[in-house]
Amino acid sequence: MAHCYYHALSSVRKWGGVVEDYLPLHQWFDQSKAIFADPRHRALRHHAEGIFMLETLFGPTIVNADNRVVPVRLVGEQHVREDLGTIPSFADWGRLITPQDWMLRGHRLDEPIPLGTVETAAGGAFSGGLSSASGGASVVEI
């Protein structure tokens, strides 16, 4: 489905109530569109663990406008099935990630890092000194 509103309409057809009863749950699944505006965003929450995270955040049930108690996990399962046709595990998504060199780098925490050097998130090093901001990039001085 293209939009959370349509997931919420589907929930109304299934359990009654109004769209507003379900919209926050469906929006939570698709917040990751802010990171990836394509189907890859689903890797972050569209899996079995994501459904359990939804339940942890919103509680085990909601009470809709018709005063009907609806299990949150069922709403999560509905969302993921409508988008993917099945409920994958996170491992199913993870198997599709091709490891990159920066993912495999590391160093022992007890190894000293040379003074004046800061390791970046990508595993490279930045040597401090005089610096100036350029091109909108943030610069670190040590």
Side-chain angles (χ1 to χ4, degrees):
M1 291 198 165
H3 195 278
C4 297
Y5 176 79
Y6 298 109
H7 283 290
L9 277 178
S10 179
S11 295
V12 170
R13 285 191 295 273
K14 190 165 188 144
W15 295 291
V18 296
V19 165
E20 292 74 20
D21 295 329
Y22 307 99
L23 202 52
L25 292 101
H26 293 296
Q27 288 172 328
W28 179 83
F29 272 105
D30 287 344
Q31 281 176 341
S32 53
K33 286 180 181 178
I35 300 166
F36 272 117
D38 64 37
R40 291 177 292 177
H41 85 89
R42 294 176 176 155
L44 294 176
R45 296 182 178 174
H46 286 62
H47 45 70
E49 185 186 13
I51 293 166
F52 277 82
M53 280 191 281
L54 181 77
E55 187 179 51
T56 298
L57 292 169
F58 290 89
T61 61
I62 60 168
V63 178
N64 69 20
D66 293 339
N67 210 31
R68 184 171 177 191
V69 176
V70 180
V72 166
R73 192 179 313 159
L74 295 182
V75 178
E77 290 173 357
Q78 170 221 336
H79 184 109
V80 174
R81 280 192 180 116
E82 286 175 349
D83 279 352
L84 303 177
T86 188
I87 299 173
S89 68
F90 178 76
D92 294 326
W93 286 102
R95 278 191 281 281
L96 300 175
I97 296 173
T98 303
Q100 303 295 312
D101 287 342
W102 64 266
M103 296 175 186
L104 306 172
R105 285 191 202 116
H107 65 84
R108 293 173 44 138
L109 294 178
D110 59 351
E111 288 179 8
I113 297 174
L115 285 176
T117 303
V118 175
E119 292 215 0
T120 66
F126 172 81
S127 295
L130 297 176
S131 61
S132 61
S134 62
S138 59
V139 179
V140 178
E141 289 190 40
I142 299 176

